[in-house]
Each structure stands twice: as structure tokens, then as C-alpha cells.
Amino acid sequence: MGNTETVLIVGAGPGGMEAARAVADLGKRAILVEAKGEIGGTPYSSYATLTPDLQETEEAMGHIVRGIHQNPAIDLRLNTRVVKSEGEVGAFHVTLESEDSTQTVVEVGSIIVATGFQHFDPGRETQMYGYYEYDDVITLVDAERMFKSGAIVRPSNGEAPERVAFIQCVGSRDRQIGNQYCSKVCCGIASKQSIEIKRMLPNAKVFIFYIDMRMYGFWEDQIYWKAQEEYKVNYVRGIVTEVIRKGDKLLIKGEDTTMGRPMEVLMDMVILSVGMEPSKGVDSHVIEPLEALLFSCCRAAPGRQIFFRGIRPPRLSFARRCAVVVSKDGDHGRR
Amino acid sequence: MEPLNLPITGTKVETSKVFERDPETVRDEDLREAIWELGREGEWIVQPVPEPYYLAPTKFGRMKKIPLEHTWHHKSCGQCGHIPGYSTSIFWLNRILGYDYFDPRDQTSCTAWNYYASATSNQAAQAAVAMRNFSAAYETGYYPLIHCGTSFGHYKEVRHELVHDAKLRRQVRAIIEKLGRPFVMPEEIVHYSEWMYAVRDELAARVQYDLSPITATVHPACHYYKLQSGDAIYDPEIYGGQRTAAVTGVVQTLGAQVADYSTWYDCCGFGFRHILVQRDFTRSFATLRKIEVMKQEANPDVVLTHDTGCVTSLDKSQFAAKAHDRQVGVPVMSESQFAALALGAHPFRVCQLHWHSVDYRPLLRKMGIDVDRAWAEFEDDVSKIKTGELDYVTWEHVL
Amino acid sequence: MPSNLYKEVALEEKQRLFDEVKADPRFETYLYGCYECGICVAACPSARFYDFSPRKITQTLAREDVELFYEQLNDDIWNCSQCFSCNRCPRQNSPGGLITVMREVAVNNGLRSMKEALAGYTRIIYKIMTTGTQVSPDMLQEDAFPDWGPQVKKVSENLDVWRRALPPETLHTTGLSWQVEERTMHELYAIWKMTGTLDMISLVDEGLHDIMEEIMDDALEESGLQVD
Ligand SMILES: Cc1cc2nc3c(=O)[nH]c(=O)nc-3n(C[C@H](O)[C@H](O)[C@H](O)COP(=O)(O)OP(=O)(O)OC[C@H]3O[C@@H](n4cnc5c(N)ncnc54)[C@H](O)[C@@H]3O)c2cc1C
Ligand code: SF4
Ligand code: SF4
Ligand code: SF4
């Protein structure tokens, strides 16, 4: 009964788009389901520019998005969610529900879950970074929003910051929070943003406080070295412990571990390098019928989510995550 | 150091960003479930929080039961010994609100001050001391309310160890049984400042003075919120729910201004061992990192806190610093003393401010309290005691 | 790392002490590993005034570097304020808790540096262990706290009457923080005995131990409490 020629892909971010394209390239049919009214996922909707070339997002990703829309083998369902799925590998009956509550059942042979991530909410941080206390403490995502608007300013007073600090690993690599993994992109993104800030505000002093800078080979000289060598971004080994207001500035306290002493410095703006957590989509009922297959790799234990990397060298260096392929013969490959 | 002309910032956050907790992300293990489970398994008796109780939000959103009355007051050796107005004010407030409480003699200190100072003890001994006191409370039918921040934090640690370490639990249980006592774990471990938070509106309704001209800085006690950190009160109204609301929530409700300062998270410098035998450290830390910073950034009329050690180090350290021309001179007391003053308690008969070092008179005058008359009244009590006309100052004198 | 200090102490001895620390049941939840991120250091009051670093303590224990461990066991641990500000470690270590455990080992092994650190403190041990309250009003004496200003003198001069001028009946004490029932103290003695705490004191101060033992044994005999 099953339709092994059709693959259902849940989530149309970079992961889902790439999966759909690959399915189409293999001569099969893809049903690409996206909860939102737009495809492209988190980067397409939230980021101004992308690594490694600091290209505008539209420029870097536009052709991929258009490619999906134009591909006849991809049946795109926007504003649609999966509400139920039954069956087994090779023969799934999946109920989709669109915005107007219309339900349709599709027959597919395999399902790819590519529901992506959400940004870590810094209100949960065990360090005290004051994101919910001070306007001038922002996240990488807020910063992207500013870059999109074309100016980087202190939200509290609209003035250009003279001193900006990035704090790495916010919400990642932390047993107390329960996220024991490295989010893999934030070191590169902070470095990218530091370059952008220096381009916009050449006189600003930019600091990056880190445990270790992780570029995973993609972004070493293109971004990290460049920021440090060309743009004189200050990389300080040691993470900030707390951020607290002093007058109209932010006082950051941490240890400069290279020097081995506690340090306290005033900043105009602090950017929290928030990590990623699996999006709620991963938990939805898409998963339930597949639990036995997926649980072992995807949600083995809270805080131990697995990151999946592209099979081929990615055209965009996205760290694809939580995209699990359940193929018809039951051997579940991973993307 | 020149005072900086900084705008005084209160506890209202300066951002429109609002934190909303996602219940799925809560990491704090709710020990109460484990405590009840161990109770069902017969490992110990669980003493429930007596009704009526107040539900206060904690760091990760769990609601904590705070008993209003029938409380067994676990006193603090430092408070009762050197800052007796601290505990007296807590009792006085209970009386003013008409809440039944019990002030036991069958109580030892938690002995954690000594443990953190000298390590001349061990896990089992510390747990046995705690469980002996809990047992004593249970036998009176009253519910433990812990006065000291260190006792509170240490008992939370002990509770955590007893829940997770069956061997330790058996060992301590055997000791308590040898003493002929029941083995009891209270459902919640509650600090008096949480009780203050629970009754803050009742207190505010009885305030006698206009506190709006008073600026206070708050020092949150490390052992209150850094040990077993999930179990401390947080309130979305206070610093966006990102810092503990203990003390601050109460003082603000009473009508005083609470000012923030940039070493809010810092320790007071007590050090446990240091305060007794290495006070150069305590003095430096308390004055350079706390009092001077508060003075420079907020120029407060008073420093309020909720732990024995913090009152002691912050208050007593200022004298020597003054001799070195440091920017000090801010009176220090517990929020229970401050609340009692605000509700019209006698500054000397109840709040016992004559045990404090830094001059508190300017504060009292600013509040509208006639200090000189109050002192004359107290001196009168003292001479009556001296002549034998009076045995003690009693509750009848002060209510 | 090989250490230039304490060369006279055999490596086996250092290892033995390290193993004792590691054997404490709390050890495995106080130490996981260390990022060297310094979060603990910036929160630490003692790091601001001493050449002291909770990061170094954790790192040393994580590396099982017994030479450095032995140095810290002697030269560093008594600087800690035991405030536990360092508990916000992302690896969920408790550097302060590790120090508590190290201190306990230092006491249990009668280390000289421990005795030096606790010199002048032993009267407090006596007070807490024999009465159940740590600081009594009569400790507020000018000669003990000269740096606390003239108000200490006032307290000591008026101590008796000022204590009587306290409304709570339990606070009319001068040698105790509050009135503690005799039975309560005896139960405390039983706890010290049964948990080996009293024995620990003999390693800190033999004389003090003997005095306390006599007091406690007499009291326990009188009270009829069984301790073994
Ligand atoms: C701050 C930041 C900056 C970054 N910048 C870069 C960069 O410059 N270059 C780079 O290569 N990488 C960058 N990354 C990494 C990149 O964003 C991710 O690797 C990538 O987005 C992962 O793609 P995805 O498809 O798995 O997830 P997502 O992009 O999160 O897409 C998931 C999609 O699934 C949809 N969805 C979720 N749940 C459901 C459901 N139940 N039903 C239907 N649809 C659902 C969502 O609406 C979304 O469209 C950055 C990451 C961060 C955090
Ligand atoms: S990528 Fe960098 S900032 Fe992000 S979690 Fe990993 S190490 Fe931390
Ligand atoms: S407990 Fe000790 S090591 Fe930890 S922060 Fe306090 S003083 Fe520093
Ligand atoms: S906070 Fe933890 S991980 Fe970081 S340096 Fe200290 S002990 Fe190591």
C-alpha cells in the first residue's frame, strides 16, 4: 500500500530544503511540509548575512529557496503541520493539517525530520548576564536584526557602542543548563559579527570572551584569523561570570585565564553567543510513531542531542541538525 | 574615592524584554517528590508544611510552600549572640501579625559556621545535627523556620545528600534512633526571609512611617541562593525574575527604595574562618567590594541583608576602614529589623540596634523615629534592671 | 607537574592524601572536569585578595596531579571563604565543595599547615562542640575584636543587663547564644562521638580534645545516652 517513491520531509529550513532537493535528484517525489508561510528556515528569516563570505542572506540562499519552489518533483506545503502519522517504514500514512484546519492524508515510504532548532533563551543562563535586565545585553540573533537594519547601536540610547563584548557558549556546553553539547556555529558567527561591527564602526573595541574558539575547519582563516589579524578583534580566553550595570555602562566580570587574574571591564554593549536547542518540532507527534527508530539517536537523553552534518561538503557551511532520515529499508541514515 | 554621580537604579528592569519560562526546560530536580517517596518507603517521616501556607515562586518556577504560622524558630548562633535584634525582630513581627510560633531550647546551631571555617566535622555529623533539630521540631508539632542563611543553605545541602546517598541516610538514621528520636525530614526547608516575603503585604499594611525617602541596598546572602540554587525565591517583578527576590521584594513592598549596585552578586567577605582569625581579608572585602561600591553608586541610608554573617562582616568591618578614610558609614541590619522599625517596633527594646557598630541614628531620624527618646526609654529599662526593679524586658513591654 | 615545594614529602604520601580526597562520596558530584573558563574565579572573593584560584584547584584535581594537589592542600585551601559563589560552574563542579573535602582530609591527617590555619580558632571549636552554639555574647571583648570599634567595649561592659533587656526568654544568656537544654547538648555530644568528630579534634589540638572528651564522657554517662 505504501508509496515508497514519495518521501515526506518535515521542515523547510536549509536541512529540509537540501533533503528535498536530494530526493528530487534521485528521481523520487518529495512532500516538503513547512509550518511557516515561508521556507528557508531560521537563517533565511533571521540573519542578515552568512558565513563564510558575509554575503547577504538573500544573495546566499535565494537561489536555493527559488530552486525548491521551481522544482516540479517537490510538493511544497506551506503553513502545514503533521498531526498524525501511522504505519511503518515503507508505508506511512501521515495526516497533514493546513492553516485552515483542512486535513489531508499522504502515503509516503520514508520520513525525514528536519524541524531544526531554536535559539537558546538566555533567561535560563546560570551565569548572570542580565539579558532580561538591560537593553544593551543582546543576543547574536538580535545583532543580526540590527545588521539587517543597517546600523549597530546601543538599544538603550541609540548611540554607536565604543566597546562591545561577545560572550561565547551561552546556553551550550553547560551541565547545569542541561545542554552538554557545543552548538558549533556561535564561535564562527561571533567572529563574523565582530568583523561586521568593525567594518561599521572602525573605532570600536570588540572583545570575544571564550573557552576555546571552535571553527570546525570551515571558518578558521576566513573568519577567525581575519577578525583577529585584520580587524584587531580582542580574543580573551575566559568566560564572563556576570554582567551588571554600572552607571550607563555594563560591567562585565570574568577571568582573563591567560593572565590568571579576575578582570572587570566596562562595555557599552554585550552580545550573548546563544547556542541552539532542538526545535519543538522534533518533539511533536511526527516523532511518536517513529519513536523506536528516532529516539535512540535524536532524543537519547535531554541535553545529549546529536548534531548531523551534511553528507557532502555543504555549499553553505550549515551545521545541519536533527535531520533524521528513515529510509525504506529501515537503515536510518543521518543528515 | 569620589562618589560617582550615577542615576540610582531600582529593581525594575530597564528593558521591555520579558522572560517567560518554558516549563520543559526546567532542570531543577524537585526534591520534594523524592522526599515524599522516601517517606512512603518508610525511610523517614515527612513533616508537611502546616496550613495555611503561601506559595512563592522559586528560581525555576517551582512553587515553594511557606508556612505562615506554627513555626519552630531555628535560631542562629551569630544572630542571637551578637545581633540579638535580628531574631527578636522576627519574633516581634510574628506577634504583631498574631501568628503562633515556638522558640525552642531543644535546638542546637547547625554547626555549619564551624564546618565551613575549620572542617572539624564530617558529612554524617553535619547531617545528624540537622536531623536532630528537625526531629526536635517535629516533636513539638511546629514547623522549622530557619533564621540563618548558612543554616538554610547547609541544610539544603544535607537534604540533598541524604536523599541521594542511602548509605549516609542509614548511618544518620541509626544515630538519630540511638538518641531515641524519630527520623524526620520537613517537606520544605524554609528561610525566615521567605516568610517575610510571604507576609510582605500584611507587613506593608501596618507600616507607620513614610519610607519613600529611604534608599536601601540589599546584600543577598551567598548561602541563601548559591547553595542548591533552585530553592530560593525569585519574583518576575524583581530584576525581571533574574535575581533572588528575598529581602528586596519585602523592602520594596514596605515602601522604601531599593537601589542596585555593581557588586550585588559579591560575597560579603565573611569567610567563616576569616571573620574570626583573619579579619584583614573580611574587612577589605566587606568595605572595598561592598560598602564603598554601594556608597559610591547608590549612597544608601541602610544596607539590608538576611544572614548573620553578612550583617556582621558588613557592619563591623566599617570601623577600621573609617580610620583609613575610606568611604564607609552605612548602617547594616536585617530586613526583619528594618521591617520591625517600619511597623513601629522600639529601636532598642526590639531591634536592639545598640549592638550594631555603624551609626544608625541618621537612618532612624530620616524614618521619623525619635531616637533620643527611644534611647532614654531603653536606658530607663537598663537602670531598672540594674536596681532590680525589673528582671527582664518582656514582650509585654514592647507590644 | 613536579613541584619544587614539599620535596621532603614522599610522592606516596601525597598520593595517599589525594586518594583520601577522591574517596569522599561527594567527590564525584563536586568534580567532573574543567574547561579553564574562569567563571568560578571571577565570582570568588578569595581570588581577589589572595594568590588563590578555584580554577587551579579544580584543574589540579581533574588532572590528578598529586604534587600540585599537595601544595594546594597546604598553601591554598584555607584561603577559601566557603561562600560557594563558584557553584555556577558550567561543568557543575563545586570548587568550594572540593575544598571542604580537602580541608577535612587535612584535619584528619593532622597536617601542620592545618594547625597553623586553625591556630587561634580552637576556642571556637570548644564553644560549638560543648554548647551547640558557636559564638556567645561574652566573646564580644575589646581585646578579641579591637578592629570592631568602641561599641564592642560597650557591649561587654553592659553585657548582663543588655541580655536581660531582650524580650525573648531564650536570649538571656551570656555564655551561650541562647538557652540550650542540657539534654540537647548531651545529644550533640553523642553525635560528635558516634561520627568520629571528637576524634578529629585530637589531630587539631590534643589538649583541647582531652578536655572535651572528659566533659562529654561525664555528661554522656550521666544522661545514659548510648554511643556505641
Ligand atoms: C546565530 C546563528 C547564526 C548562524 N549563521 C550561520 C551562517 O552564517 N552560516 C551558516 O552556514 N550557518 C549559520 N548558522 C547555522 C544555521 O542556521 C543552521 O545550521 C541551519 O539553520 C540548520 O538548518 P535546519 O533546516 O536544520 O533548521 P532550521 O533553519 O531551524 O529550519 C527548520 C524549519 O523547520 C520548520 N519547522 C519546525 N517545526 C516544524 C513542524 N513541526 N512542522 C513543520 N515545520 C516545522 C521551521 O519553521 C523551520 O523553517 C547560524 C546559526 C545561528 C544560531
Ligand atoms: S561554537 Fe563556540 S561558542 Fe558555540 S558552543 Fe561551541 S565553543 Fe561555544
Ligand atoms: S567557595 Fe571558596 S573557591 Fe568558591 S568562590 Fe567562595 S571563596 Fe572562592
Ligand atoms: S567554572 Fe568550572 S569549568 Fe570553569 S574554570 Fe572553574 S571549575 Fe573549571
Side-chain angles (χ1 to χ4, degrees):
Chain A
M1 231 202 102
N3 183 349
T4 53
E5 293 302 298
T6 307
V7 179
L8 175 72
I9 298 150
V10 190
M17 292 191 302
E18 173 71 1
R21 189 193 56 75
V23 166
D25 284 357
L26 291 171
K28 319 241 163 178
R29 190 169 156 261
I31 301 177
L32 181 57
V33 172
E34 168 56 50
K36 296 195 186 128
E38 185 195 34
I39 63 169
T42 317
Y44 203 58
S45 61
S46 310
Y47 310 149
T49 60
L50 294 176
T51 56
D53 304 321
L54 279 65
Q55 256 179 321
E56 304 246 336
T57 303
E58 178 54 44
E59 212 177 305
M61 281 183 72
H63 64 281
I64 305 177
V65 169
R66 283 189 297 278
I68 297 292
H69 282 293
Q70 288 156 8
N71 196 323
I74 300 175
D75 174 0
L76 178 62
R77 313 277 181 98
L78 292 174
N79 298 312
T80 301
R81 298 188 80 93
V82 174
V83 290
K84 200 164 128 203
S85 77
E86 293 166 322
E88 58 189 293
V89 173
F92 289 110
H93 326 288
V94 183
T95 311
L96 307 178
E97 188 179 284
S98 62
E99 221 176 4
D100 57 10
S101 301
T102 333
Q103 295 199 345
T104 20
V105 179
V106 293
E107 309 289 328
V108 298
S110 338
I111 301 174
I112 298 178
V113 180
T115 47
F117 72 97
Q118 62 195 33
H119 299 103
F120 176 77
D121 182 340
R124 278 166 53 206
E125 187 47 75
T126 42
Q127 276 64 58
M128 293 78 170
Y129 293 153
Y131 180 74
Y132 288 100
E133 292 186 61
Y134 314 114
D135 273 336
D136 293 339
V137 179
I138 65 172
T139 64
L140 290 178
V141 197
D142 300 329
E144 287 295 332
R145 224 168 278 136
M146 279 194 203
F147 294 136
K148 263 193 177 173
S149 75
I152 185 99
V153 292
R154 299 178 64 185
S156 64
N157 60 10
E159 286 169 17
E162 285 165 25
R163 293 162 68 83
V164 181
F166 285 86
I167 304 175
Q168 297 308 104
C169 300
V170 177
S172 308
R173 308 174 79 191
D174 191 316
R175 186 177 264 112
Q176 305 217 32
I177 288 168
N179 291 346
Q180 308 195 357
Y181 51 81
C182 162
S183 290
K184 288 194 163 179
V185 296
C186 7
C187 278
I189 304 310
S191 298
K192 178 206 82 159
Q193 292 193 355
S194 73
I195 294 175
E196 285 178 314
I197 293 173
K198 290 293 285 189
R199 282 183 180 167
M200 289 167 148
L201 306 166
N203 295 325
K205 271 235 164 239
V206 181
F207 302 81
I208 297 183
F209 296 94
Y210 68 97
I211 299 175
D212 23 48
M213 290 309 290
R214 298 183 151 179
M215 299 296 154
Y216 296 97
F218 300 135
W219 298 329
E220 202 70 32
D221 59 338
Q222 291 155 295
I223 301 180
Y224 179 17
W225 291 9
K226 191 171 180 160
Q228 199 175 35
E229 295 172 9
E230 279 177 43
Y231 291 91
K232 303 298 169 205
V233 170
N234 273 247
Y235 283 85
V236 184
R237 194 180 183 288
I239 289 282
V240 170
T241 305
E242 61 203 43
V243 177
I244 197 160
R245 198 187 129 121
K246 185 170 176 112
D248 64 351
K249 307 241 180 235
L250 296 167
L251 185 66
I252 64 167
K253 306 180 188 184
E255 186 194 11
D256 181 339
T257 58
T258 312
M259 304 304 165
R261 296 307 306 157
M263 60 170 180
E264 296 190 353
V265 241
L266 290 170
M267 293 288 160
D268 296 309
M269 192 155 131
V270 171
I271 304 180
L272 305 178
S273 291
V274 287
M276 304 193 281
E277 294 185 314
S279 82
K280 289 269 158 86
V282 181
D283 290 323
S284 70
H285 12 254
V286 185
I287 303 296
E288 273 157 33
L290 310 172
E291 218 164 56
L293 288 170
L294 295 190
F295 241 72
S296 57
C297 46
C298 198
R299 301 286 290 174
R304 286 186 193 284
Q305 287 80 13
I306 295 168
F307 288 77
F308 302 100
R309 199 82 76 64
I311 293 162
R312 285 186 285 149
R315 285 159 70 194
L316 288 169
S317 41
F318 291 116
R320 291 197 181 80
R321 62 175 317 225
C322 284
V324 180
V325 184
V326 184
S327 74
K328 69 171 186 205
D329 51 3
D331 87 319
H332 31 287
R334 297 166 185 184
R335 294 184 72 93
Chain B
M1 222 190 274
E2 283 297 301
L4 294 175
N5 198 8
L6 297 180
I8 294 205
T9 55
T11 64
K12 239 190 147 33
V13 292
E14 301 145 39
T15 175
S16 52
K17 292 177 276 194
V18 178
F19 177 54
E20 272 161 43
R21 181 168 301 287
D22 172 356
E24 278 179 34
T25 62
V26 171
R27 291 285 298 165
D28 185 35
E29 117 193 84
D30 188 350
L31 268 187
R32 286 180 313 178
E33 274 169 39
I35 287 165
W36 284 112
E37 182 56 32
L38 287 166
R40 282 189 290 273
E41 288 167 12
E43 293 271 338
W44 50 34
I45 298 165
V46 182
Q47 181 176 13
V49 174
E51 295 190 22
Y53 49 75
Y54 179 90
L55 286 175
T58 57
K59 183 165 187 179
F60 300 111
R62 178 175 82 73
M63 298 308 266
K64 179 168 184 176
K65 294 182 187 171
I66 312 296
L68 296 177
E69 61 176 334
H70 308 308
T71 44
W72 187 89
H73 286 244
H74 183 290
K75 296 177 292 298
S76 139
C77 41
Q79 282 161 28
C80 294
H82 294 174
I83 339 164
Y86 196 130
S87 1
T88 307
S89 298
I90 300 174
F91 294 137
W92 187 85
L93 290 169
N94 270 275
R95 286 173 185 258
I96 284 291
L97 297 182
Y99 285 141
D100 174 37
Y101 73 90
F102 186 76
D103 172 12
R105 289 177 172 79
D106 182 11
Q107 184 225 321
T108 68
S109 130
C110 65
T111 74
W113 181 346
N114 177 58
Y115 186 50
Y116 291 135
S118 73
T120 51
S121 184
N122 54 44
Q123 253 191 310
Q126 292 307 109
V129 168
M131 295 306 271
R132 201 214 66 83
N133 280 329
F134 290 156
S135 175
Y138 176 75
E139 290 190 313
T140 62
Y142 286 80
Y143 195 87
L145 184 72
I146 319 286
H147 283 194
C148 185
T150 288
S151 305
F152 172 74
H154 187 62
Y155 283 172
K156 287 194 295 179
E157 288 284 308
V158 164
R159 171 179 68 179
H160 191 264
E161 289 165 17
L162 286 173
V163 165
H164 291 282
D165 184 344
K167 206 170 133 221
L168 180 69
R169 199 164 59 237
R170 303 278 145 72
Q171 185 189 357
V172 175
R173 182 181 167 147
I175 293 170
I176 299 298
E177 282 172 355
K178 275 242 167 75
L179 303 179
R181 289 186 170 275
F183 196 53
V184 183
M185 179 58 80
E187 177 187 1
E188 297 270 13
I189 294 180
V190 188
H191 189 240
Y192 89 86
S193 66
E194 300 178 329
W195 176 83
M196 297 280 301
Y197 178 84
V199 299
R200 66 197 187 287
D201 290 325
E202 289 178 65
L203 296 174
R206 290 173 167 79
V207 167
Q208 308 278 328
Y209 306 99
D210 174 19
L211 300 182
S212 60
I214 306 295
T215 303
T217 42
V218 167
H219 167 67
C222 295
H223 285 187
Y224 172 73
Y225 75 108
K226 294 175 185 171
L227 284 167
Q228 302 295 328
S229 57
D231 191 0
I233 290 184
Y234 283 70
D235 176 334
E237 295 295 313
I238 310 292
Y239 297 114
Q242 300 280 301
R243 308 193 209 168
T244 181
V247 185
T248 303
V250 176
V251 176
Q252 228 160 242
T253 307
L254 293 176
Q257 308 286 329
V258 175
D260 194 13
Y261 60 100
S262 64
T263 50
W264 192 91
Y265 293 108
D266 273 29
C267 166
C268 66
F270 187 68
F272 299 87
R273 189 182 70 90
H274 301 75
I275 188 77
L276 292 163
V277 293
Q278 213 155 315
R279 276 198 303 287
D280 51 340
F281 165 78
T282 302
R283 281 196 307 270
S284 310
F285 202 86
T287 55
L288 298 175
R289 292 288 301 183
K290 296 296 289 197
I291 302 292
E292 277 202 340
V293 178
M294 294 173 184
K295 186 112 179 143
Q296 207 192 15
E297 296 179 10
N299 197 21
D301 299 297
V302 63
V303 179
L304 299 175
T305 182
H306 54 159
D307 174 73
T308 319
C310 315
V311 172
T312 306
S313 19
L314 295 174
D315 179 34
K316 305 294 185 202
S317 298
Q318 294 188 44
F319 175 77
K322 193 144 210 151
H324 291 99
D325 282 334
R326 313 284 332 183
Q327 280 281 321
V328 290
V330 193
V332 184
M333 62 185 76
S334 66
E335 96 282 38
S336 62
Q337 286 170 295
F338 183 72
L341 285 172
L343 268 68
H346 198 284
F348 303 106
R349 287 168 175 161
V350 175
C351 300
Q352 299 281 327
L353 291 175
H354 47 290
W355 293 75
H356 296 236
S357 282
V358 179
D359 190 7
Y360 41 80
R361 286 175 181 79
L363 166 73
L364 298 192
R365 293 200 179 104
K366 201 166 173 184
M367 288 173 81
I369 296 169
D370 187 342
V371 198
D372 302 315
R373 203 183 80 197
W375 181 246
E377 287 164 355
F378 181 74
E379 285 282 72
D380 190 44
D381 296 345
V382 166
S383 50
K384 281 187 183 144
I385 292 172
K386 278 184 182 156
T387 60
E389 194 182 324
L390 196 67
D391 276 341
Y392 301 106
V393 170
T394 64
W395 287 116
E396 284 70 56
H397 281 88
V398 297
L399 286 166
Chain C
M1 297 286 145
S3 160
N4 286 325
L5 297 169
Y6 304 105
K7 277 189 171 146
E8 70 286 2
V9 180
L11 190 62
E12 293 70 42
E13 174 64 1
K14 295 174 180 173
Q15 183 72 48
R16 185 185 68 77
L17 292 166
F18 178 81
D19 291 342
E20 226 176 89
V21 168
K22 216 178 148 182
D24 189 286
R26 291 164 290 185
F27 187 83
E28 60 173 25
T29 55
Y30 284 175
L31 176 69
Y32 293 91
C34 175
Y35 271 141
E36 296 261 25
C37 67
I39 280 174
C40 52
V41 174
C44 173
S46 295
R48 290 185 192 273
F49 281 88
Y50 299 111
D51 180 9
F52 171 80
S53 163
R55 172 171 60 80
K56 290 183 186 165
I57 301 272
T58 330
Q59 189 57 233
T60 300
L61 291 172
R63 292 182 194 168
E64 310 210 333
D65 183 335
V66 295
E67 298 257 20
L68 259 180
F69 157 80
Y70 190 77
E71 266 185 39
Q72 293 172 344
L73 187 66
N74 285 281
D75 303 342
D76 291 333
I77 55 172
W78 297 100
N79 288 333
C80 166
S81 307
Q82 293 281 283
C83 64
F84 298 97
S85 301
C86 48
N87 276 9
R88 42 183 113 145
C89 164
R91 296 292 281 273
Q92 209 172 306
N93 300 326
S94 174
L98 291 168
I99 290 169
T100 314
V101 174
M102 285 168 78
R103 285 179 172 188
E104 241 178 88
V105 168
V107 170
N108 277 324
N109 287 277
L111 259 55
R112 199 175 65 225
S113 54
M114 172 277 295
K115 290 185 187 168
E116 282 162 14
L118 297 182
Y121 179 81
T122 48
R123 67 196 174 100
I124 310 282
I125 299 181
Y126 176 79
K127 184 65 108 185
I128 183 76
M129 288 186 69
T130 59
T131 71
T133 65
Q134 165 127 358
V135 290
S136 51
D138 61 6
M139 280 181 178
L140 277 172
Q141 297 294 337
E142 213 189 351
D143 54 348
F145 297 95
D147 51 324
W148 283 4
Q151 178 271 345
V152 172
K153 191 169 166 208
K154 265 195 220 138
V155 169
S156 67
E157 282 169 359
N158 295 294
L159 193 65
D160 192 48
V161 266
W162 280 11
R163 290 304 283 188
R164 284 164 165 266
L166 278 162
E169 300 80 12
T170 52
L171 301 189
H172 297 149
T173 48
T174 55
L176 281 167
S177 307
W178 62 85
Q179 286 168 11
V180 181
E181 274 166 23
E182 201 164 70
R183 169 82 191 180
T184 308
M185 290 189 200
H186 295 170
E187 290 183 5
L188 188 66
Y189 301 167
I191 290 174
W192 299 144
K193 283 231 139 190
M194 285 189 273
T195 54
T197 307
L198 185 60
D199 295 338
M200 286 177 90
I201 307 304
S202 65
L203 298 153
V204 181
D205 185 332
E206 190 74 56
L208 175 67
H209 168 265
D210 296 349
I211 296 171
M212 291 205 298
E213 181 158 59
E214 203 179 312
I215 295 174
M216 292 182 191
D217 283 350
D218 289 352
L220 284 171
E221 202 180 294
E222 188 194 318
S223 69
L225 280 167
Q226 293 299 312
V227 295
D228 30 46

